[in-house]
Amino acid sequence: MFISWCAAQSGNAGIIPRTASCYNGKDWFAERGRFHLRAAYTPRAGDVVYFSTRQYPNGGGHVGIVEKVENGYVYTIEGNTSGASGVVANGGGVARKSYPLGYPSIYGYGNPKYEQEEPDMTEAQVKQIIEKTKEAEQYNSVEECPAWARPTIEKLVQKGYLQGDEDGNLELSFDLMRNLVINDRAHLYG
């Protein structure tokens, strides 16, 4: 409720859910495509951080507002907590706290759509960026390949199936490399 109250006081009630349930808040952001798991996202000031506890896993245990991210730590303002270190749900106060970005109890982040943000990209724009990124990715040697592909690419170079251009550059796209690994895992190269 503290987060919902803060949103209402700051004029941001429409972009942060009005709820007393961490699960409902997390789901609200997820339904709008604005929830990110901890491992896949770097938080920003103004994000809502969801914590897991033993009693309430999957982000249902506690919540706070990200004040800043600095030097590998996320700094938060939390209600219904205490000044003690770690996640303290039902602590009865408001406190500024900090956690390493990889802190295991952080489940993820809701990312409110503040007015100053750029408008959302269309699905076509997102697909175009992904395709351009894939086209730009090129792996010219075994060492440049991701670890999951190296054994296959090394095997194909040793067998002479992959030789590269006149300078020895393999010029492998991500998609080609992925297909080669799939074929190798199907034992098509011996």
Side-chain angles (χ1 to χ4, degrees):
M1 292 177 65
F2 172 73
I3 301 302
S4 297
W5 179 84
C6 288
Q9 297 304 306
S10 65
N12 291 305
I15 62 170
I16 292 176
R18 185 177 178 185
T19 181
S21 164
C22 294
Y23 288 123
N24 289 345
K26 178 180 63 90
D27 291 345
W28 188 92
F29 281 113
E31 288 165 6
R32 289 155 179 79
R34 301 192 70 84
F35 184 79
H36 311 278
L37 293 173
R38 168 183 46 90
Y41 180 73
T42 301
R44 301 183 291 188
D47 283 352
V48 178
V49 57
Y50 288 87
F51 296 93
S52 294
T53 61
R54 221 174 297 160
Q55 186 177 4
Y56 299 103
N58 302 323
H62 188 60
V63 65
I65 299 171
V66 175
E67 182 177 23
K68 65 182 176 178
V69 177
E70 216 173 65
N71 300 322
Y73 280 81
V74 58
Y75 293 83
T76 63
I77 299 173
E78 301 168 29
N80 202 19
T81 191
S82 76
S85 64
V87 178
V88 179
N90 301 320
V94 175
R96 281 190 160 108
K97 302 183 101 172
S98 65
Y99 307 89
L101 284 171
Y103 191 71
S105 292
I106 296 175
Y107 183 73
Y109 299 91
N111 175 242
K113 187 173 181 179
Y114 293 104
E115 285 184 21
Q116 69 270 23
E117 277 191 9
E118 294 182 23
D120 289 339
M121 290 189 284
T122 65
E123 189 174 330
Q125 289 171 316
V126 171
K127 285 182 179 178
Q128 186 179 19
I129 289 171
I130 291 169
E131 289 306 313
K132 284 184 178 179
T133 302
K134 283 183 180 178
E135 289 171 12
E137 289 180 20
Q138 192 174 55
Y139 303 89
N140 289 316
S141 69
V142 173
E143 294 77 27
E144 289 180 12
C145 294
W148 56 265
R150 275 188 212 130
T152 296
I153 303 306
E154 188 170 19
K155 178 200 295 186
L156 296 176
V157 167
Q158 288 174 354
K159 289 186 173 213
Y161 297 157
L162 288 176
Q163 296 178 357
D165 63 12
E166 62 276 354
D167 296 323
N169 294 320
L170 296 176
E171 297 180 346
L172 296 171
S173 69
F174 180 86
D175 286 338
L176 175 59
M177 187 171 40
R178 183 174 48 107
N179 288 333
L180 292 170
V181 170
I182 290 168
N183 289 341
D184 187 35
R185 289 179 181 170
H187 305 289
L188 297 180
Y189 306 126

